[in-house]
Amino acid sequence: MTLKQLNISVGIIRNAQKEIFITQRDASSHMAGFWEFPGGKIEAGETPDQAVIRELQEEVGIDVKSPVLLKTLEHRFPDRIITLYFFLVEEWQGEPYGKEGQPKRWVAQSDLKEEEFPPANEAIVTALKNNQY
Ligand SMILES: Nc1nc2c([nH]c(=O)n2[C@@H]2O[C@H](COP(=O)(O)OP(=O)(O)OP(=O)(O)O)[C@@H](O)[C@H]2O)c(=O)[nH]1
Ligand SMILES: [Mg+2]
């Protein structure tokens, strides 16, 4: 079996109080029940920046301005290999909400918990908790 290769852009939406907006993955999805940074698959012909802007409009209803790429990493799951582009989003228009009905919350950056996120997020969550970004 050949592994699925996916390229994913996600947005770390951070407000002036250093809180981060996270959403919970649907029960029927890959990594169901885990919390995530909103985002999704980069489509053919799209750059990672374009994908994060589109995904955050579709999933949380905001217009992202100047996303900043913090880190790129590859993660191998049993059934797929994903390349993740993590963008810091500090400028946007609108108020983020769970546009697809997904649970959401704002969490202080220092209170993020690695175990609430998919395993590929571990390093970036640790770095955020330690105020490296
Ligand atoms: N959005 C998001 N996906 C993540 C994160 N960490 C992580 O491993 N993933 C994985 O990256 C992939 C993202 O796909 P997605 O389900 O959000 O894709 P999508 O929005 O395009 O959804 P769709 O397939 O319903 O169109 C999933 O396999 C998911 O488990 C994260 O922080 N945010
Ligand atoms: Mg998604």
Side-chain angles (χ1 to χ4, degrees):
M1 190 189 85
T2 51
L3 292 175
K4 247 195 296 190
Q5 292 261 9
L6 299 173
N7 296 311
I8 312 293
S9 282
V10 305
I12 299 167
I13 303 166
R14 183 167 70 184
N15 67 18
Q17 291 77 244
K18 298 275 186 232
E19 293 167 327
I20 293 176
F21 183 85
I22 59 177
T23 52
Q24 195 170 25
R25 292 187 63 80
D26 190 79
S28 64
S29 68
H30 182 246
M31 296 286 119
F34 281 94
W35 289 80
E36 68 173 3
F37 303 117
K41 297 174 194 76
I42 302 173
E43 294 177 354
E46 251 182 355
T47 63
D49 306 53
Q50 289 168 338
V52 76
I53 291 168
R54 177 184 49 74
E55 286 284 348
L56 269 50
Q57 179 49 247
E58 289 175 2
E59 294 191 355
V60 298
I62 60 171
D63 288 318
V64 171
K65 313 284 171 207
S66 44
V68 177
L69 183 63
L70 292 182
K71 187 184 173 77
T72 304
L73 67 78
E74 197 171 272
H75 188 86
R76 198 184 171 107
F77 288 96
D79 63 334
R80 64 189 69 188
I81 298 175
I82 66 175
T83 302
L84 274 160
Y85 294 81
F86 292 99
F87 287 92
L88 184 62
V89 172
E90 295 190 291
E91 292 176 57
W92 68 87
Q93 280 178 349
E95 186 55 36
Y97 70 107
K99 196 172 173 182
E100 299 173 329
Q102 68 280 42
K104 46 87 181 166
R105 65 189 220 256
W106 286 99
V107 56
Q109 179 165 330
S110 54
D111 288 341
L112 290 169
K113 292 190 173 49
E114 287 90 342
E115 62 273 18
E116 291 189 339
F117 290 85
N121 292 47
E122 183 174 358
I124 192 104
V125 170
T126 301
L128 286 163
K129 275 171 64 173
N130 294 336
N131 275 316
Q132 280 175 256
Y133 295 115

